[in-house]
Amino acid sequence: SLGGLYMSTNKLDKAHTFVERALKISEQPGDQRLALRSLHTLANIYGMRGLYDKALEADEKALKICAATNNTRGYSEIYSNMALCYFYKGMLDTSLEYHYKVLKIDQFFKDDKQIADTYLNLAQVYRKKNDYKKAISLLNESIALFTKTEHKFGLKEAYLSLSEAYKEKQDYKQAYDAFKTYNKLSSEIINEANSKQIAQLNVQYEAEQREQKIRNLSQQATISELELKERNILLVVAGIIILIGLILSYLIYKQRKMAERARIQQEIHKQQQLAAKAVLQAEDHERQRIATELHDGVGQIISAALINLNMLFGKLQLAEKEKTIAETSLSLIGEGYDELRLISHQMIPNSVLKN
């Protein structure tokens, strides 16, 4: 399609590029229909460039596809193109041969417009062969069919060719009459085209006016919708800000509460440590006091008593039995004194001993 479009605007290089691409695509899935269209368009491009042999080569490939797919209509299009190539190559008899093949197919399908086109093409070849009688006869048949099918553009071309045929025959009156009809048809076609264009422009204008009204209404609706969306967005943003504020307030409150709780726990722990330290200090003090009293008080008394008893027993003349009892008693008192000293030393706090 792109190849045909570029060909119609005479951009043959681009047309050729796209048609070649289409041919490559048609080879992959085996799309015969696409291949036929591509080859036919390629032949037309070659023909427009004056490369008639290449055009005929492409047409021969297209004919093989028509034969494989039993495409009779395809034969008509390909034969017509080949006839034109042979015409421009100067091979007029071969051109006539292919035009008559096209005519046979058109008559089979009873396609009056295509038959009229083929008559017109045949007349062109006969004019080139200077057979004006045959050319004029074919042109009159073409005019009759174009009139029947109300195909003004084809009718106009047929009258132009008829005028030129009479002119070449040197029948200038008939040439003038045919040319007048050609001019009349050209004016009618131009007027009809202008009328259609005016009508089309009017329809487009009315459509644009309706579309403009619709766009205005749509624009107003869009503005209202945007304003509503903007308000909704502002509400959502405000809600989010409030929510964030509440969350931050809660987090700050919770953090402060946790800090206060930690401070209280720390203070309680500190007081507990101080109380424990005070208890330990009091206990150490009491132990020291008791140890001091045992060592300095009771210990001194026992020590003095032990000295006095030793002096007493040394002066007394005791029997052996009483002497043994006395020594035993002194020994027990000595052991008691030593035990008392040990206890008093054990009761002294470690901090005092370290100092």
Side-chain angles (χ1 to χ4, degrees):
S1 296
L2 284 171
L5 181 62
Y6 280 118
M7 183 182 71
S8 66
T9 57
N10 208 32
K11 295 179 181 178
L12 300 182
D13 288 334
K14 286 189 175 182
H16 196 167
T17 300
F18 282 105
V19 170
E20 289 288 353
R21 288 181 188 175
L23 276 172
K24 287 182 181 179
I25 293 170
S26 69
E27 289 171 1
Q28 294 173 0
D31 190 340
Q32 300 282 30
R33 185 178 176 184
L34 177 60
L36 180 61
R37 285 176 58 200
S38 301
L39 285 167
H40 182 54
T41 305
L42 183 62
N44 286 332
I45 293 169
Y46 282 135
M48 291 174 72
R49 285 179 161 174
L51 302 172
Y52 303 118
D53 290 332
K54 283 186 172 293
L56 290 167
E57 184 181 338
D59 283 328
E60 289 292 345
K61 291 179 181 178
L63 285 175
K64 291 179 181 179
I65 295 174
C66 289
T69 57
N70 196 26
N71 188 346
T72 306
R73 278 288 190 188
Y75 276 117
S76 175
E77 294 176 356
I78 304 303
Y79 285 151
S80 179
N81 195 59
M82 293 177 76
L84 289 173
C85 287
Y86 284 120
F87 175 79
Y88 289 115
K89 279 170 67 71
M91 301 171 66
L92 302 181
D93 291 334
T94 308
S95 177
L96 284 174
E97 179 185 342
Y98 279 97
H99 276 311
Y100 278 113
K101 286 183 178 181
V102 175
L103 181 62
K104 186 176 179 181
I105 295 170
D106 293 340
Q107 288 172 339
F108 173 79
F109 285 106
K110 298 179 180 179
D111 190 336
D112 289 338
K113 179 187 172 299
Q114 291 298 327
I115 293 170
D117 280 333
T118 305
Y119 282 154
L120 181 58
N121 290 331
L122 281 166
Q124 296 293 96
V125 181
Y126 281 112
R127 278 177 53 202
K128 196 75 172 176
K129 289 171 68 71
N130 299 323
D131 190 347
Y132 302 113
K133 182 178 179 182
K134 183 66 174 177
I136 291 168
S137 174
L138 288 167
L139 286 169
N140 284 324
E141 291 187 58
S142 176
I143 288 168
L145 288 174
F146 278 134
T147 303
K148 177 183 175 184
T149 56
E150 297 181 351
H151 191 267
K152 282 191 175 181
F153 185 81
L155 188 61
K156 180 194 74 162
E157 293 300 314
Y159 271 110
L160 177 61
S161 183
L162 183 62
S163 173
E164 290 173 349
Y166 278 125
K167 181 181 177 182
E168 290 163 359
K169 191 183 175 185
Q170 298 182 352
D171 188 344
Y172 299 112
K173 182 181 181 307
Q174 294 286 354
Y176 176 72
D177 290 341
F179 190 76
K180 279 202 316 182
T181 306
Y182 162 76
N183 272 338
K184 181 183 176 184
L185 288 167
S186 296
S187 298
E188 288 177 1
I189 290 170
I190 291 170
N191 290 334
E192 286 177 4
N194 289 337
S195 298
K196 286 180 180 177
Q197 187 175 9
I198 291 168
Q200 186 177 3
L201 289 172
N202 189 43
V203 170
Q204 287 177 351
Y205 173 75
E206 291 177 354
E208 285 178 2
Q209 290 292 95
R210 288 195 297 271
E211 288 177 3
Q212 185 62 39
K213 289 181 181 179
I214 293 169
R215 280 196 295 269
N216 290 337
L217 292 172
S218 177
Q219 189 175 11
Q220 291 176 0
T222 303
I223 291 170
S224 300
E225 186 178 353
L226 288 173
E227 289 176 348
L228 180 61
K229 283 183 178 179
E230 187 177 355
R231 284 197 298 270
N232 291 336
I233 290 169
L234 289 174
L235 289 172
V236 170
V237 170
I240 291 171
I241 291 171
I242 292 169
L243 181 61
I244 292 172
L246 290 173
I247 292 171
L248 289 174
S249 299
Y250 172 74
L251 290 174
I252 292 168
Y253 167 76
K254 190 174 181 181
Q255 187 176 8
R256 287 180 178 177
K257 192 173 181 181
M258 289 175 67
E260 182 66 19
R261 187 181 299 170
R263 188 187 65 76
I264 292 170
Q265 289 292 333
Q266 188 177 6
E267 188 66 27
I268 291 171
H269 181 67
K270 183 178 179 181
Q271 293 298 325
Q272 287 175 345
Q273 283 184 330
L274 290 173
K277 186 176 181 181
V279 170
L280 289 173
Q281 287 177 347
E283 185 179 325
D284 288 345
H285 181 72
E286 185 64 19
R287 286 177 65 184
Q288 186 177 1
R289 186 186 64 77
I290 293 170
T292 301
E293 288 183 357
L294 286 174
H295 184 272
D296 296 340
V298 178
Q300 292 297 327
I301 292 170
I302 292 173
S303 177
L306 184 61
I307 293 170
N308 289 331
L309 286 173
N310 276 322
M311 291 175 61
L312 178 62
F313 288 148
K315 293 179 178 182
L316 292 175
Q317 297 293 324
L318 298 174
E320 190 66 29
K321 183 176 180 182
E322 284 82 2
K323 188 177 180 180
T324 301
I325 293 170
E327 289 177 354
T328 301
S329 297
L330 289 171
S331 177
L332 289 172
I333 292 170
E335 288 178 5
Y337 177 70
D338 291 337
E339 190 70 26
L340 178 64
R341 286 185 64 196
L342 177 63
I343 290 170
S344 67
H345 279 289
Q346 287 179 345
M347 288 187 71
I348 296 173
N350 290 329
S351 59
V352 176
L353 292 175
K354 287 178 181 178
N355 291 331

